[in-house]
């Protein structure tokens, strides 16, 4: 098997710790995967990302097929030597990006037809072409191409999208099985905010030989209560012995909630995106570094953090960099936020390991809860 999931402990709350064994190493779960959409980070080098303790990065098939294109990955022998990362990589299929494409796209049973943002060339992203591109990228974990829709779509429309997702999942598996590359493939549970559809989607996909299961179609317009309820509904129908990945989620509070519901893997642009906007996550809550109150503060961003930014620089200096729009400011806040997310996952895993996640959850939730969530 391309990845193997070893379940270590299930806490009384239902939160789980485990180890995800990949061909690039074995990594503890619950885990958070920073997002390197274009095979890179805007403000971080791979050395810095590695130092945060991140073990798996997410990259996007949609972006990488358009630029630099499959030939480049084939020439370089995959994304790892290309971007200088020796850890594991998970590629998203492009399913999420299709739905934010401009008006002139055409989505049929075959796939998504659209024009390249870069050179206006005709493109087809189908279940088969997504797998072929993910094979060129040579990620450890590939995702099926799915149909992601707005959470507020009615039940009939949601069912239609879900059923196409299921047919595409079958085609993705068939495409993967044509070439033995040693890569894993995850199915994606869809079904919007409709509990019966979530059950049906999980029931359909878990009959297929996927290496793990993702929960998709969340953080796309639903309420927080709906998100938590749908996560719980999906994990309840997923097998214990396979990894569960909640796509595109979320804030630290979202992660605490999803772990409580048995999720093992996460990715999100929030830590890097918020850094660019001048926000730092700390174990004392969210810090907007440009606030006047921090101008004269000579203490670190977060006294509980061990990143090099917190060891070396003050809040006052970071404010100066951010107010001056110096790239270095975004870079330093990114280093810190990505490390904070890894530290958060460490604390979560530690709590679950000693069957004390209920307490960890309460403590962290009150420490980090912010109106920005
Ligand atoms: N990223 C966040 N949500 C989704 C989803 O529903 N599908 C895919 N492919 N990627 C996502
Ligand atoms: Zn820090």
């Amino acid at each position: 098997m391309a990845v193997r999931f070893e379940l270590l402990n299930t806490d009384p709350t239902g939160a789980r710790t485990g180890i995800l064994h990949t061909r690039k190493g074995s990594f503890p779960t619950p885990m958070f995967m920073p997002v390197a959409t274009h095979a890179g980070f805007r403000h971080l080098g791979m050395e810095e990302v590695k130092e945060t303790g991140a073990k798996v990065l997410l990259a996007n098939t949609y972006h990488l097929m358009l630029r630099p294109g499959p030939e480049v990955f084939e020439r370089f022998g995959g994304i790892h030597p290309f971007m200088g990362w020796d850890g594991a990589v998970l590629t998203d299929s492009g399913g999420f990006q299709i739905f934010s494409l401009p008006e002139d796209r055409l989505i049929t049973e075959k796939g998504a037809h659209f024009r390249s943002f870069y050179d206006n060339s005709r493109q087809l992203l189908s279940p088969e072409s997504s797998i072929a591109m993910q094979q060129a990228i040579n990620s450890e974990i590939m995702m099926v191409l799915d149909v992601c829709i707005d959470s507020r779509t009615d039940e009939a429309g949601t069912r239609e999208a879900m059923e196409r997702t299921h047919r595409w999942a079958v085609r993705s598996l068939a495409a993967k099985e044509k070439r033995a590359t040693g890569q894993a493939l995850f199915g994606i549970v869809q079904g919007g905010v409709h509990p019966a559809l979530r059950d049906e989607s999980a029931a359909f996909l878990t009959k297929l030989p996927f290496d793990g299961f993702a929960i998709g179609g969340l953080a796309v317009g639903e309420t927080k209560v709906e998100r938590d309820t749908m996560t719980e509904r999906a994990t309840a129908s997923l097998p214990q012995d396979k990894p569960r990945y909640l796509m595109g989620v979320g804030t630290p509070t979202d992660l605490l909630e999803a772990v409580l519901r048995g999720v093992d893997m996460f990715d999100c642009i929030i830590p890097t995106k918020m850094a660019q906007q001048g926000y730092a996550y700390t174990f004392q809550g969210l810090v907007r570094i440009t606030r006047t109150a921090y101008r004269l503060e000579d203490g670190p961003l977060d006294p509980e953090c061990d990143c090099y930014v917190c060891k070396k620089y003050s809040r006052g200096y970071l404010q100066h960099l951010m107010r001056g729009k110096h790239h270095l400011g975004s870079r330093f806040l990114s280093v810190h936020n990505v490390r904070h997310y890894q530290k958060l996952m460490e604390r979560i895993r530690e709590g679950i390991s000693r069957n004390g996640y209920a307490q960890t959850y309460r403590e962290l939730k009150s420490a980090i809860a912010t109106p920005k969530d």
Side-chain angles (χ1 to χ4, degrees):
M1 195 176 285
V3 294
R4 188 168 61 81
F5 182 66
E6 186 185 345
L7 185 61
L8 291 180
N9 188 43
T10 304
D11 169 276
T13 62
R16 302 138 48 100
T17 49
I19 303 176
L20 186 71
H21 300 277
T22 80
R23 56 185 189 182
K24 290 283 182 188
S26 298
F27 312 122
T29 63
M31 67 157 73
F32 180 82
M33 305 179 284
V35 180
T37 296
H38 300 267
F41 293 85
R42 191 177 292 271
H43 297 288
L44 296 173
M46 288 299 159
E47 308 313 309
E48 284 170 311
V49 177
K50 192 169 181 177
E51 219 175 285
T52 68
K55 306 290 188 192
V56 187
L57 302 185
L58 182 134
N60 267 296
T61 303
Y62 168 80
H63 298 86
L64 296 175
M65 73 184 264
L66 299 178
R67 202 161 69 180
E71 308 78 16
V72 171
F73 290 101
E74 272 148 20
R75 170 74 181 85
F76 280 79
I79 194 170
H80 308 78
F82 182 59
M83 69 176 179
W85 174 252
D86 58 8
V89 173
L90 180 149
T91 38
D92 196 359
S93 56
F96 194 66
Q97 281 73 35
I98 292 175
F99 293 89
S100 23
L101 282 173
E103 286 291 299
D104 61 350
R105 70 176 191 203
L106 175 68
I107 298 165
T108 66
E109 189 63 22
K110 190 168 177 202
H113 307 257
F114 60 97
R115 283 186 179 273
S116 167
F117 172 79
Y118 299 113
D119 60 7
N120 210 37
S121 61
R122 285 174 190 282
Q123 301 284 337
L124 168 68
L125 189 60
S126 66
E128 294 79 12
S129 74
S130 178
I131 293 294
M133 184 63 207
Q134 295 182 75
Q135 288 173 335
I137 295 171
N138 198 22
S139 52
E140 277 56 55
I141 302 174
M142 305 187 285
M143 302 302 300
V144 299
L145 188 69
D146 57 333
V147 183
C148 185
I149 53 170
D150 191 298
S151 289
R152 288 156 298 191
T153 309
D154 67 14
E155 184 156 355
T158 307
R159 166 172 290 284
E160 208 174 297
M162 178 194 78
E163 288 177 349
R164 179 170 282 168
T165 293
H166 294 172
R167 293 189 296 273
W168 284 7
V170 172
R171 280 167 56 187
S172 302
L173 263 176
K176 179 202 120 170
E177 279 158 14
K178 278 201 183 132
R179 262 181 77 193
T181 61
Q183 295 168 273
L185 180 63
F186 282 20
I188 305 178
V189 175
Q190 290 287 350
V193 293
H194 307 281
L197 294 185
R198 288 280 170 185
D199 294 350
E200 196 177 323
S201 189
F204 181 92
L205 293 168
T206 53
K207 289 197 190 79
L208 300 171
F210 286 114
D211 301 293
F213 298 94
I215 304 164
L218 293 179
V220 282
E222 76 285 356
T223 65
K224 282 186 77 69
V225 172
E226 283 171 330
R227 185 182 316 171
D228 293 340
T229 311
M230 290 306 116
T231 302
E232 189 162 338
R233 196 80 184 204
T235 55
S237 309
L238 293 174
Q240 295 293 326
D241 63 347
K242 296 273 171 76
R244 298 134 171 209
Y245 160 33
L246 181 55
M247 306 190 83
V249 174
T251 63
T253 306
D254 290 334
L255 303 193
L256 287 173
E257 293 296 340
V259 165
L260 194 63
R261 291 163 176 82
V263 174
D264 309 306
M265 300 166 67
F266 302 91
D267 81 281
C268 195
I269 59 168
I270 281 183
T272 43
K273 185 104 194 160
M274 290 290 274
Q276 288 162 38
Q277 295 170 7
Y279 290 93
Y281 287 98
T282 77
F283 287 104
Q284 301 85 48
L286 188 67
V287 169
R288 182 164 61 84
I289 198 64
T290 47
R291 275 186 55 199
T292 303
Y294 302 133
R295 183 165 172 255
L296 299 175
E297 265 198 35
D298 59 3
L301 208 42
D302 184 350
E304 292 180 58
C305 183
D306 57 6
C307 83
Y308 77 75
V309 176
C310 288
K311 282 193 209 145
K312 192 165 166 81
Y313 302 107
S314 64
R315 287 183 169 189
Y317 181 60
L318 294 168
Q319 163 165 135
H320 163 70
L321 293 177
M322 287 309 290
R323 281 198 172 178
K325 307 210 182 323
H326 300 291
H327 286 197
L328 197 54
S330 300
R331 175 169 147 208
F332 286 162
L333 290 195
S334 295
V335 165
H336 167 79
N337 279 353
V338 174
R339 175 61 190 149
H340 177 84
Y341 266 63
Q342 294 303 322
K343 195 91 195 162
L344 178 67
M345 301 321 281
E346 283 170 23
R347 290 199 181 180
I348 287 173
R349 292 193 296 265
E350 191 267 326
I352 303 170
S353 301
R354 54 173 176 80
N355 287 323
Y357 186 63
Q359 189 194 349
T360 302
Y361 168 89
R362 274 195 308 273
E363 286 172 4
L364 287 173
K365 206 167 164 177
S366 64
I368 68 185
T370 67
K372 265 269 167 190
D373 278 331

